[in-house]
Amino acid sequence: MKNVVAHMVSVANAGVVALTKLPVIGPIMGRGFVVIAYTGRRSGKTFSTPVNYWRSGDELVIGVAMPDKKNWWRNFQGAGAPISLRLNGVDRTGHAVTQRDNGRVCVRVTLDDKV
């Protein structure tokens, strides 16, 4: 059952990524979705996943739904880690830090200055 759910999540994520790349729908979806890329803390491999975000001042905030069933956000615990993302059609980098409060988890991303 776990493999079925993982496959369904993978298919759904691929669908969201594909939609964000379409000419008309992409910019609309980009208002709330962004694809993040990061390096796994244990594997050293690069991963990417679409996430929902909102802006809070100069930061992006990524809410993590059902955090105990996901692992990607754990890469940003403690002092945090570098993150890459494509925001409004522009590749950006930043530093992400996980915050956990009363079971709720969010990842706050401080973007690096544009080059």
Side-chain angles (χ1 to χ4, degrees):
M1 182 67 170
K2 188 175 183 179
N3 288 337
V4 172
V5 171
H7 178 71
M8 289 172 54
V9 168
S10 179
V11 169
N13 284 349
V16 169
V17 171
L19 288 172
T20 63
K21 293 179 180 180
L22 292 175
V24 175
I25 297 172
I28 295 167
M29 292 217 32
R31 294 179 193 158
F33 283 94
V34 66
V35 178
I36 60 170
Y38 58 92
T39 301
R41 67 189 187 285
R42 291 187 294 180
S43 69
K45 294 180 182 176
T46 300
F47 297 94
S48 64
T49 189
V51 295
N52 189 263
Y53 76 95
W54 66 91
R55 282 231 144 144
S56 177
D58 292 334
E59 292 182 319
L60 297 183
V61 180
I62 302 166
V64 182
M66 300 182 301
D68 294 329
K69 297 188 183 277
K70 299 175 182 168
N71 290 315
W72 68 265
W73 60 269
R74 299 174 198 278
N75 290 285
F76 306 107
Q77 293 182 107
I83 192 167
S84 300
L85 47 96
R86 185 162 186 85
L87 184 63
N88 299 324
V90 178
D91 291 327
R92 300 289 302 271
T93 59
H95 187 80
V97 178
T98 295
Q99 293 182 327
R100 188 168 197 150
D101 185 32
N102 293 327
R104 292 184 178 173
V105 174
C106 71
V107 176
R108 293 190 171 271
V109 179
T110 302
L111 295 172
D112 296 334
D113 292 334
K114 289 183 185 179
V115 177

